[in-house]
Amino acid sequence: MKSLAELQAIKEKMKGSIGLREEDKNCKRIVVGMATCGIAAGARPVLTAFADEVAKRGLTQDVMVSQTGCIGICQYEPVVEVFVPGEQKVTYVKMTAEKAARVVEEHIVGGNVVKEYTIGANAK
């Protein structure tokens, strides 16, 4: 469990890379579910990994990383939704920080959905 000071430090660090730019309809969006179940399942390091990877690659003008509350599929947490203008939403499930780097590399930069991480590949 992180202390309040540690959480505040994470918040300050993320301010530059996480925000709402709803007016930019051409922006790709990565939305991480950060409800209680998502946080308990490890969504916080996933959010941090996406923000760090986007910043490292210099994509902050074209890609927005944000958080949301409950996405509604708790058994698949951590859940990440990727919105690319003109395409269908992609829902990634059981995400990890390591998987986040691959999603940025292949989906956000390369345009190819990482199918084995999607809800369709993980549904029983």
Side-chain angles (χ1 to χ4, degrees), residues 14 18 38-40 45 58 62 65 78 86-88 105 111 113 117-119 121:
M14 302 297 280
I18 297 176
I39 292 169
D62 303 318
V65 178
E87 297 179 14
Q88 286 187 341
E105 167 90 23
V113 175
Y117 297 167
T118 64
I119 192 163

Side-chain angles (χ1 to χ4, degrees), residues 4-70:
L4 188 57
E6 289 172 311
L7 292 175
Q8 186 64 32
I10 291 170
K11 179 181 176 184
E12 291 303 316
K13 176 184 172 196
M14 302 297 280
K15 270 187 180 177
S17 58
I18 297 176
L20 297 175
R21 295 183 301 207
E22 294 178 36
E23 68 278 356
D24 188 354
K25 300 294 183 202
N26 296 317
C27 185
K28 295 176 184 175
R29 294 186 302 137
I30 301 169
V31 181
V32 181
M34 292 288 288
T36 304
C37 55
I39 292 169
R44 194 174 316 282
V46 171
L47 176 67
T48 302
F50 271 110
D52 289 348
E53 192 68 22
V54 165
K56 179 176 88 176
R57 292 173 175 272
L59 302 173
T60 56
Q61 295 300 313
D62 303 318
V63 180
M64 179 181 68
V65 178
S66 63
Q67 60 187 22
T68 190
C70 182

